[in-house]
Amino acid sequence: MNQISNAIATRDNGPAAQIEVYRDEYAALVPSHVNADQWIRLAVGAIRGNKDLEQAARNDVGVFLRELKTAARLGLEPGTEQFYLTPRKSKAHGYKLIIKGIVGYQGIVELIYRAGAVSTVIVEAVRQRDTFRYVPGRDDRPVHEIDWFGNDRGPLVGVYAYAVMKDGAVSKVVVLNHRRVMEIRAKSDSKDSEYSPWNTDEEAMWLKSAVRQLAKWVPTSAEYMREQLRAQAEVAGELTAPPTAGTPAMPQPTALDEADPADDSEPVEGELVD
C-alpha cells in the first residue's frame, strides 16, 4: 500500500498533475470556441506519453507552464502540429532540457481561418518528381501534379502556399525553393537539436516556412503577430482569472538565456522565389 501511495504522490507532483492543478486558469485563457477539457487532455497526454518531454518539463515546471499558457491564449492544441512541445537544452539550466513551445504550420493555418476572411488555405510541399508550374502575373495559382501511385516522389525541392478568400479572390502566392527554405532553417537556433521539428518533422517545417510568409498577405497576419508578441511579453504568472481557493500561484519561469528562437521570431519577409 505504501508503494502505491508513494507512486501516486510522485505522479501528483509531476508536470502533468500541475496542468490539472491550474485547469481553471487555462480554461479561462483559451478562446471561447476551444473546448477547454479537450485542450487539458491534449496537454496532459503530450507529457505523459513522452518521457523526454516529461523530464524536460520537470527540469523547470514554470517554463513548461508558461509555454502552455502561450498555446492556451492562441487557442492552439499543445503537443500537436498546431503547437509543438519540444525539449531543448538551456545554458541557464546547466544545459539541461527544458520545454520550448513552437507554433507549427497547422497552428498558423488555424489562425488564418479564425480571422473569417479566408475560405481555403493551400500549403503543399513539392518533390523532385512532381510537376509544378507557376508564372507570376499570368497564373493566379500554381498547377501542381503528383503521381500518387508512384513509388517515390523524390526529395523535397520546394513549397508553396496561398489562400482563397471568401469573395473568391486568390491571395499572393508564396513559393520557396530549396535554397530559400535552407536559409530560413539556418536562422533557427534549434536546428541542430535531435528534438527540433526541423529534424523530427522536416516536411512540416517546410510547410511552416511558406505559410508564415503567407500570413503577411492575408487579414490575420497582424492579429497573429500581435497575439504572439503579447503572449510572449506577459509575465507567466499573470492570469485572466484568479486562482481557485487554496490553489498556489502558478510557478514563475526562470529566465531563459535564449529568449525566442528563429522558429517563432519575426516573420521572414514575404517574397516570391522562383
Side-chain angles (χ1 to χ4, degrees), residues 104-176:
Y105 87 94
Q106 289 188 4
I108 301 176
V109 169
E110 167 65 19
L111 294 172
I112 291 174
Y113 277 124
R114 197 178 295 169
V118 168
S119 64
T120 306
V121 176
I122 305 296
V123 53
E124 294 287 349
V126 182
R127 292 184 174 270
Q128 190 175 63
R129 295 183 179 85
D130 296 351
T131 297
F132 181 82
R133 297 187 301 275
Y134 177 63
V135 178
R138 186 195 71 184
D139 304 326
D140 67 341
R141 68 191 78 190
V143 174
H144 183 198
E145 298 176 355
I146 300 172
D147 180 4
W148 294 109
F149 301 105
N151 293 327
D152 183 9
R153 290 172 56 196
L156 290 163
V157 295
V159 64
Y160 65 95
Y162 64 91
V164 179
M165 315 307 288
K166 287 190 173 178
D167 63 3
V170 177
S171 74
K172 179 179 179 67
V173 178
V174 173
V175 183
L176 304 178

Side-chain angles (χ1 to χ4, degrees), residues 188-269:
S188 168
D189 63 2
S190 67
K191 62 184 181 299
D192 296 323
S193 168
E194 63 180 300
Y195 303 106
S196 170
W198 280 107
N199 297 314
T200 63
D201 202 355
E202 182 184 21
E203 183 169 320
M205 292 304 288
W206 281 59
L207 296 172
K208 178 181 175 180
S209 298
V211 79
R212 280 187 68 194
Q213 295 194 39
L214 174 65
K216 291 193 66 178
W217 305 98
V218 293
T220 89
S221 60
E223 174 192 356
Y224 165 65
M225 289 310 301
R226 282 198 302 270
E227 186 63 26
Q228 279 280 77
L229 293 173
R230 185 183 304 117
Q232 292 166 2
E234 286 184 344
V235 177
E238 294 178 355
L239 295 170
T240 302
T244 55
T247 301
M250 181 177 284
Q252 297 285 328
T254 58
L256 292 178
D257 53 301
E258 300 162 291
D260 192 30
D263 287 331
D264 289 291
S265 57
E266 290 299 318
V268 181
E269 274 301 312

Side-chain angles (χ1 to χ4, degrees), residues 13-34:
N13 287 330
Q18 290 295 306
I19 301 171
E20 295 286 359
V21 168
Y22 299 106
R23 169 184 288 272
D24 291 343
E25 285 78 4
Y26 285 122
L29 288 173
V30 297
S32 58
H33 71 279
V34 174

